[in-house]
Amino acid sequence: MNRQPHSSAREIIVASVLREVVSELRLVDVADYIAFIRLEQHGNLADLVESAAELYLMPGTLGFGHGGDINVGWTGEPTITLDLQLKPRGATIYFALKMSALKASIEVNYVSFDDPSPDPAENTRFLAHALEASRLQRSAPVAMRG
């Protein structure tokens, strides 16, 4: 697939919105990911993704796609790739999340807009606003007076 000039900007936007979710996903033991992917237990993977997202995103915003991949060998570190979908209001983003011991990356494969603009930059701005609106707003803790 040919990368388009706006793909990198969209990957940065998606990565910034998912930073905390990815941290949650990395708390899962790599052996669990290996087993779930090898045994095609997609329901378990979907549950992990949903659980990781529930503290940070509106319900239904992030979901497991149609599969995943593992790269595990006798040398090197394991790498887990999950196909995921983000569904903020007005768009759907299909992307791959790749996680290893020390880093994670996102590759946006396709973005579908409900009402796309002919201007890719305007679509990217819309995507940033839609994803920001899908974040759960956390209120600051209230100080207890004693």
Side-chain angles (χ1 to χ4, degrees), residues 51-108:
S51 294
E54 68 185 5
L55 294 174
Y56 305 101
L57 299 171
M58 300 293 279
T61 302
L62 180 65
F64 181 69
H66 297 290
D69 192 26
I70 52 175
N71 184 357
V72 180
W74 292 108
T75 60
E77 62 186 7
T79 303
I80 306 298
T81 303
L82 300 175
D83 292 329
L84 302 174
Q85 298 174 7
L86 267 171
K87 296 180 183 179
R89 182 171 294 201
T92 303
I93 305 120
Y94 301 91
F95 67 100
L97 168 64
K98 188 180 223 178
M99 299 181 290
S100 61
L102 300 176
K103 60 185 175 181
S105 64
I106 288 177
E107 182 178 343
V108 172

Side-chain angles (χ1 to χ4, degrees), residues 55-56 58 132-139:
L55 294 174
Y56 305 101
M58 300 293 279
E132 191 59 38
S134 70
R135 284 184 172 188
L136 289 177
Q137 301 302 316
R138 296 183 173 271
S139 57

